[in-house]
Amino acid sequence: RSIAVGRYRGFVVRTYDVLAAIAAWPIAVALRLDLDLDPRLLEVLLRDLLIVAILAIGIFEAAGVHRAFWRFATAADLAKVALGGLLLALAVTTVLFLIDRLAAVPRAVPVLFALVTVLLLAGMRIAWMLAAPRPTALADRAGPATAFRPVLLVGAGEGAALAIQLLRHAAGPAYRPVAILDDGATIGRAVMGVSVLGRLADLDRTLARLKVQ
């Protein structure tokens, strides 16, 4: 069952991100107009929402907004989310300017749209991180390291996050987690910056590729 849930997790994250972007556009318009929406704007808003949805799917996928597990999102992951939101706002503004030179909405709307989009995307991830239980490392000592031994992890759950913390802060010889194999997680997603590269069936090929002993 956990494998099935893992396979659908990426779809759920992508769906939320696109829906958040779609919601951000009318929210931005409403904020700019002090919640005083003209009924004549509804037809234009419906057109704009379709454009936002199409662009969000492509831009978020290209920017890798969905890749990090929310529970283990890092500052770099949140920066990627913010970049995706800003790129989407720029793309939407460009397309709407080419269509009607943004005649239907105030010029401040794209700026508000960027802020609301980033807030909805990053805010949900931060809230999830704070609400979800996180593994606690048993060691928090950063010892000097002169050589690194690559480590391949199996499983992308809380155990992987704990292992990554321990490996990064263990004393003595340094071990560097370089990849994760998991039958349920979406390939390309990351736990604390370590990417899921494949399934368990890819073990031998991944070991050879990464030169892990």
Short mmCIF file of all heavy atoms in Angstrom, two decimals, residues 134-183:
data_model
loop_
_atom_site.label_atom_id
_atom_site.label_comp_id
_atom_site.label_asym_id
_atom_site.label_seq_id
_atom_site.Cartn_x
_atom_site.Cartn_y
_atom_site.Cartn_z
N ARG A 134 9.25 14.79 12.21
CA ARG A 134 10.52 14.63 11.51
C ARG A 134 11.45 13.78 12.35
O ARG A 134 11.47 13.87 13.58
CB ARG A 134 11.18 15.99 11.25
CG ARG A 134 10.43 16.86 10.29
CD ARG A 134 11.03 18.25 10.21
NE ARG A 134 12.39 18.20 9.72
CZ ARG A 134 12.72 18.27 8.43
NH1 ARG A 134 11.77 18.32 7.52
NH2 ARG A 134 13.97 18.25 8.05
N PRO A 135 12.26 12.96 11.70
CA PRO A 135 13.22 12.15 12.45
C PRO A 135 14.28 13.02 13.08
O PRO A 135 14.65 14.06 12.54
CB PRO A 135 13.82 11.23 11.36
CG PRO A 135 13.63 11.98 10.09
CD PRO A 135 12.33 12.73 10.25
N THR A 136 14.75 12.61 14.24
CA THR A 136 15.78 13.36 14.95
C THR A 136 17.08 12.60 14.88
O THR A 136 17.16 11.42 15.20
CB THR A 136 15.40 13.56 16.43
OG1 THR A 136 14.13 14.22 16.48
CG2 THR A 136 16.44 14.38 17.15
N ALA A 137 18.10 13.28 14.44
CA ALA A 137 19.40 12.63 14.32
C ALA A 137 19.93 12.27 15.70
O ALA A 137 19.76 13.01 16.68
CB ALA A 137 20.38 13.56 13.60
N LEU A 138 20.58 11.10 15.77
CA LEU A 138 21.15 10.67 17.03
C LEU A 138 22.53 11.25 17.27
O LEU A 138 23.07 11.18 18.35
CB LEU A 138 21.24 9.13 17.04
CG LEU A 138 19.90 8.41 16.88
CD1 LEU A 138 20.14 6.91 16.86
CD2 LEU A 138 18.95 8.81 17.98
N ALA A 139 23.11 11.80 16.25
CA ALA A 139 24.42 12.43 16.38
C ALA A 139 24.40 13.74 15.65
O ALA A 139 23.79 13.88 14.62
CB ALA A 139 25.51 11.52 15.80
N ASP A 140 25.08 14.73 16.18
CA ASP A 140 25.09 16.04 15.56
C ASP A 140 26.48 16.63 15.65
O ASP A 140 26.67 17.78 16.02
CB ASP A 140 24.07 16.95 16.25
CG ASP A 140 23.81 18.21 15.44
OD1 ASP A 140 24.17 18.22 14.26
OD2 ASP A 140 23.25 19.18 16.02
N ARG A 141 27.45 15.82 15.30
CA ARG A 141 28.84 16.25 15.37
C ARG A 141 29.43 16.24 13.98
O ARG A 141 29.37 15.25 13.27
CB ARG A 141 29.65 15.33 16.28
CG ARG A 141 29.18 15.32 17.73
CD ARG A 141 29.92 14.26 18.52
NE ARG A 141 29.54 12.92 18.06
CZ ARG A 141 30.12 11.81 18.48
NH1 ARG A 141 31.12 11.87 19.31
NH2 ARG A 141 29.71 10.65 18.01
N ALA A 142 29.96 17.35 13.58
CA ALA A 142 30.55 17.46 12.26
C ALA A 142 32.05 17.31 12.38
O ALA A 142 32.76 18.24 12.76
CB ALA A 142 30.20 18.81 11.63
N GLY A 143 32.56 16.15 12.14
CA GLY A 143 33.98 15.90 12.26
C GLY A 143 34.71 16.24 10.98
O GLY A 143 34.12 16.33 9.92
N PRO A 144 36.03 16.45 11.05
CA PRO A 144 36.80 16.75 9.86
C PRO A 144 36.80 15.57 8.90
O PRO A 144 36.81 14.42 9.30
CB PRO A 144 38.21 17.03 10.41
CG PRO A 144 38.25 16.27 11.70
CD PRO A 144 36.87 16.32 12.25
N ALA A 145 36.75 15.88 7.63
CA ALA A 145 36.71 14.82 6.62
C ALA A 145 37.71 15.09 5.53
O ALA A 145 37.80 16.19 5.02
CB ALA A 145 35.31 14.72 6.03
N THR A 146 38.48 14.09 5.20
CA THR A 146 39.46 14.23 4.13
C THR A 146 39.07 13.40 2.92
O THR A 146 39.56 13.65 1.83
CB THR A 146 40.85 13.79 4.64
OG1 THR A 146 40.75 12.44 5.11
CG2 THR A 146 41.31 14.68 5.78
N ALA A 147 38.25 12.40 3.10
CA ALA A 147 37.83 11.56 1.98
C ALA A 147 36.37 11.19 2.19
O ALA A 147 35.90 11.10 3.32
CB ALA A 147 38.69 10.30 1.90
N PHE A 148 35.69 10.98 1.09
CA PHE A 148 34.27 10.67 1.18
C PHE A 148 33.99 9.31 0.58
O PHE A 148 34.56 8.94 -0.44
CB PHE A 148 33.45 11.74 0.44
CG PHE A 148 33.53 13.10 1.06
CD1 PHE A 148 34.43 14.05 0.60
CD2 PHE A 148 32.70 13.42 2.12
CE1 PHE A 148 34.51 15.30 1.17
CE2 PHE A 148 32.76 14.68 2.70
CZ PHE A 148 33.67 15.62 2.23
N ARG A 149 33.10 8.58 1.21
CA ARG A 149 32.65 7.30 0.70
C ARG A 149 31.20 7.44 0.27
O ARG A 149 30.34 7.75 1.11
CB ARG A 149 32.78 6.21 1.76
CG ARG A 149 34.21 5.94 2.19
CD ARG A 149 34.27 4.80 3.18
NE ARG A 149 35.63 4.54 3.61
CZ ARG A 149 35.97 3.58 4.46
NH1 ARG A 149 35.03 2.80 4.96
NH2 ARG A 149 37.22 3.41 4.79
N PRO A 150 30.91 7.26 -1.00
CA PRO A 150 29.52 7.40 -1.45
C PRO A 150 28.64 6.30 -0.89
O PRO A 150 29.05 5.16 -0.78
CB PRO A 150 29.64 7.31 -2.98
CG PRO A 150 30.89 6.53 -3.21
CD PRO A 150 31.82 6.91 -2.10
N VAL A 151 27.41 6.66 -0.54
CA VAL A 151 26.47 5.73 0.05
C VAL A 151 25.17 5.77 -0.76
O VAL A 151 24.65 6.84 -1.05
CB VAL A 151 26.17 6.08 1.52
CG1 VAL A 151 25.09 5.16 2.10
CG2 VAL A 151 27.44 5.98 2.35
N LEU A 152 24.67 4.59 -1.10
CA LEU A 152 23.40 4.46 -1.79
C LEU A 152 22.34 4.00 -0.79
O LEU A 152 22.50 2.98 -0.14
CB LEU A 152 23.51 3.46 -2.94
CG LEU A 152 22.23 3.18 -3.74
CD1 LEU A 152 21.79 4.43 -4.48
CD2 LEU A 152 22.48 2.03 -4.73
N LEU A 153 21.26 4.76 -0.66
CA LEU A 153 20.20 4.44 0.30
C LEU A 153 19.04 3.72 -0.39
O LEU A 153 18.74 4.01 -1.55
CB LEU A 153 19.68 5.72 0.95
CG LEU A 153 20.72 6.56 1.72
CD1 LEU A 153 20.07 7.82 2.25
CD2 LEU A 153 21.33 5.76 2.85
N VAL A 154 18.42 2.82 0.33
CA VAL A 154 17.24 2.10 -0.17
C VAL A 154 16.05 2.53 0.67
O VAL A 154 16.03 2.34 1.88
CB VAL A 154 17.44 0.58 -0.09
CG1 VAL A 154 16.16 -0.13 -0.52
CG2 VAL A 154 18.60 0.15 -0.97
N GLY A 155 15.05 3.12 0.02
CA GLY A 155 13.87 3.63 0.73
C GLY A 155 13.94 5.13 0.87
O GLY A 155 14.99 5.69 1.21
N ALA A 156 12.80 5.81 0.60
CA ALA A 156 12.78 7.27 0.60
C ALA A 156 11.90 7.84 1.70
O ALA A 156 11.40 8.95 1.60
CB ALA A 156 12.30 7.79 -0.76
N GLY A 157 11.74 7.10 2.80
CA GLY A 157 10.89 7.57 3.87
C GLY A 157 11.67 8.26 4.98
O GLY A 157 12.76 8.80 4.77
N GLU A 158 11.11 8.21 6.20
CA GLU A 158 11.74 8.86 7.33
C GLU A 158 13.09 8.22 7.66
O GLU A 158 14.01 8.89 8.13
CB GLU A 158 10.82 8.79 8.55
CG GLU A 158 9.55 9.62 8.39
CD GLU A 158 8.73 9.63 9.67
OE1 GLU A 158 9.19 9.03 10.66
OE2 GLU A 158 7.65 10.23 9.66
N GLY A 159 13.19 6.91 7.42
CA GLY A 159 14.47 6.24 7.67
C GLY A 159 15.58 6.81 6.81
O GLY A 159 16.72 6.98 7.27
N ALA A 160 15.25 7.14 5.56
CA ALA A 160 16.26 7.74 4.67
C ALA A 160 16.68 9.11 5.19
O ALA A 160 17.87 9.45 5.18
CB ALA A 160 15.70 7.84 3.26
N ALA A 161 15.70 9.90 5.64
CA ALA A 161 16.03 11.23 6.17
C ALA A 161 16.93 11.13 7.39
O ALA A 161 17.90 11.89 7.54
CB ALA A 161 14.74 11.98 6.51
N LEU A 162 16.63 10.19 8.29
CA LEU A 162 17.46 10.00 9.47
C LEU A 162 18.86 9.54 9.08
O LEU A 162 19.86 10.02 9.62
CB LEU A 162 16.80 8.98 10.40
CG LEU A 162 17.58 8.61 11.67
CD1 LEU A 162 17.88 9.86 12.48
CD2 LEU A 162 16.81 7.59 12.48
N ALA A 163 18.94 8.60 8.12
CA ALA A 163 20.25 8.11 7.67
C ALA A 163 21.07 9.24 7.08
O ALA A 163 22.28 9.33 7.31
CB ALA A 163 20.05 6.99 6.66
N ILE A 164 20.43 10.10 6.29
CA ILE A 164 21.14 11.23 5.68
C ILE A 164 21.70 12.16 6.75
O ILE A 164 22.85 12.61 6.67
CB ILE A 164 20.21 11.98 4.71
CG1 ILE A 164 19.89 11.10 3.51
CG2 ILE A 164 20.86 13.28 4.24
CD1 ILE A 164 18.79 11.65 2.63
N GLN A 165 20.87 12.45 7.76
CA GLN A 165 21.34 13.30 8.85
C GLN A 165 22.53 12.68 9.57
O GLN A 165 23.53 13.35 9.86
CB GLN A 165 20.20 13.55 9.84
CG GLN A 165 19.11 14.47 9.31
CD GLN A 165 18.05 14.74 10.36
OE1 GLN A 165 18.04 14.15 11.43
NE2 GLN A 165 17.14 15.64 10.04
N LEU A 166 22.42 11.40 9.86
CA LEU A 166 23.51 10.73 10.57
C LEU A 166 24.78 10.70 9.74
O LEU A 166 25.88 10.93 10.24
CB LEU A 166 23.08 9.30 10.93
CG LEU A 166 22.00 9.18 12.01
CD1 LEU A 166 21.57 7.73 12.15
CD2 LEU A 166 22.50 9.72 13.34
N LEU A 167 24.65 10.40 8.46
CA LEU A 167 25.83 10.31 7.60
C LEU A 167 26.49 11.67 7.43
O LEU A 167 27.73 11.76 7.32
CB LEU A 167 25.43 9.74 6.24
CG LEU A 167 25.03 8.26 6.22
CD1 LEU A 167 24.43 7.87 4.88
CD2 LEU A 167 26.24 7.38 6.54
N ARG A 168 25.70 12.72 7.38
CA ARG A 168 26.26 14.05 7.17
C ARG A 168 26.94 14.59 8.42
O ARG A 168 27.80 15.47 8.34
CB ARG A 168 25.16 15.01 6.72
CG ARG A 168 24.74 14.79 5.27
CD ARG A 168 23.59 15.69 4.88
NE ARG A 168 23.29 15.56 3.46
CZ ARG A 168 22.24 16.11 2.87
NH1 ARG A 168 21.39 16.84 3.57
NH2 ARG A 168 22.04 15.94 1.58
N HIS A 169 26.53 14.07 9.61
CA HIS A 169 27.06 14.62 10.86
C HIS A 169 27.85 13.60 11.67
O HIS A 169 28.20 13.86 12.81
CB HIS A 169 25.91 15.17 11.71
CG HIS A 169 25.16 16.29 11.05
ND1 HIS A 169 25.67 17.55 10.92
CD2 HIS A 169 23.94 16.31 10.46
CE1 HIS A 169 24.80 18.32 10.29
NE2 HIS A 169 23.74 17.60 10.00
N ALA A 170 28.12 12.45 11.09
CA ALA A 170 28.84 11.42 11.84
C ALA A 170 30.31 11.79 11.99
O ALA A 170 30.91 12.40 11.12
CB ALA A 170 28.72 10.07 11.12
N ALA A 171 30.87 11.41 13.11
CA ALA A 171 32.31 11.63 13.34
C ALA A 171 33.11 10.54 12.65
O ALA A 171 32.59 9.49 12.29
CB ALA A 171 32.60 11.62 14.85
N GLY A 172 34.39 10.79 12.48
CA GLY A 172 35.26 9.79 11.85
C GLY A 172 35.19 9.88 10.33
O GLY A 172 34.97 10.95 9.77
N PRO A 173 35.40 8.75 9.63
CA PRO A 173 35.37 8.76 8.16
C PRO A 173 34.04 9.30 7.65
O PRO A 173 32.98 8.98 8.17
CB PRO A 173 35.56 7.28 7.80
CG PRO A 173 36.22 6.68 8.99
CD PRO A 173 35.69 7.42 10.17
N ALA A 174 34.12 10.13 6.65
CA ALA A 174 32.91 10.78 6.13
C ALA A 174 32.23 9.92 5.09
O ALA A 174 32.88 9.35 4.21
CB ALA A 174 33.27 12.15 5.53
N TYR A 175 30.92 9.81 5.19
CA TYR A 175 30.11 9.08 4.22
C TYR A 175 29.14 10.08 3.58
O TYR A 175 28.51 10.86 4.29
CB TYR A 175 29.32 7.96 4.90
CG TYR A 175 30.21 6.88 5.47
CD1 TYR A 175 30.72 6.99 6.76
CD2 TYR A 175 30.52 5.75 4.73
CE1 TYR A 175 31.54 6.00 7.30
CE2 TYR A 175 31.32 4.75 5.25
CZ TYR A 175 31.83 4.88 6.53
OH TYR A 175 32.63 3.90 7.07
N ARG A 176 29.05 10.03 2.29
CA ARG A 176 28.19 10.97 1.58
C ARG A 176 27.05 10.23 0.88
O ARG A 176 27.29 9.46 -0.05
CB ARG A 176 28.99 11.77 0.55
CG ARG A 176 28.13 12.70 -0.30
CD ARG A 176 28.97 13.50 -1.26
NE ARG A 176 29.88 14.39 -0.56
CZ ARG A 176 30.82 15.11 -1.16
NH1 ARG A 176 30.99 15.00 -2.46
NH2 ARG A 176 31.60 15.92 -0.44
N PRO A 177 25.81 10.45 1.30
CA PRO A 177 24.67 9.85 0.58
C PRO A 177 24.56 10.48 -0.80
O PRO A 177 24.45 11.70 -0.92
CB PRO A 177 23.47 10.19 1.47
CG PRO A 177 23.90 11.37 2.28
CD PRO A 177 25.38 11.24 2.47
N VAL A 178 24.58 9.64 -1.82
CA VAL A 178 24.60 10.17 -3.18
C VAL A 178 23.32 9.90 -3.95
O VAL A 178 23.05 10.56 -4.96
CB VAL A 178 25.80 9.60 -3.96
CG1 VAL A 178 27.11 10.10 -3.37
CG2 VAL A 178 25.76 8.07 -3.97
N ALA A 179 22.52 8.93 -3.53
CA ALA A 179 21.31 8.61 -4.27
C ALA A 179 20.42 7.71 -3.43
O ALA A 179 20.86 7.13 -2.42
CB ALA A 179 21.63 7.93 -5.60
N ILE A 180 19.16 7.58 -3.86
CA ILE A 180 18.18 6.73 -3.19
C ILE A 180 17.49 5.86 -4.22
O ILE A 180 17.19 6.31 -5.33
CB ILE A 180 17.12 7.59 -2.46
CG1 ILE A 180 17.77 8.45 -1.38
CG2 ILE A 180 16.03 6.72 -1.85
CD1 ILE A 180 16.83 9.46 -0.75
N LEU A 181 17.23 4.61 -3.86
CA LEU A 181 16.41 3.72 -4.67
C LEU A 181 15.13 3.43 -3.90
O LEU A 181 15.19 3.15 -2.70
CB LEU A 181 17.14 2.41 -4.98
CG LEU A 181 18.43 2.51 -5.81
CD1 LEU A 181 19.00 1.12 -6.05
CD2 LEU A 181 18.19 3.21 -7.14
N ASP A 182 14.00 3.51 -4.57
CA ASP A 182 12.72 3.27 -3.89
C ASP A 182 11.69 2.84 -4.93
O ASP A 182 11.60 3.44 -6.01
CB ASP A 182 12.25 4.55 -3.18
CG ASP A 182 11.08 4.29 -2.26
OD1 ASP A 182 9.96 4.13 -2.77
OD2 ASP A 182 11.29 4.26 -1.03
N ASP A 183 10.92 1.82 -4.61
CA ASP A 183 9.92 1.31 -5.55
C ASP A 183 8.66 2.15 -5.58
O ASP A 183 7.84 2.01 -6.49
CB ASP A 183 9.55 -0.14 -5.18
CG ASP A 183 10.61 -1.13 -5.62
OD1 ASP A 183 11.37 -0.80 -6.56
OD2 ASP A 183 10.69 -2.22 -5.02
#
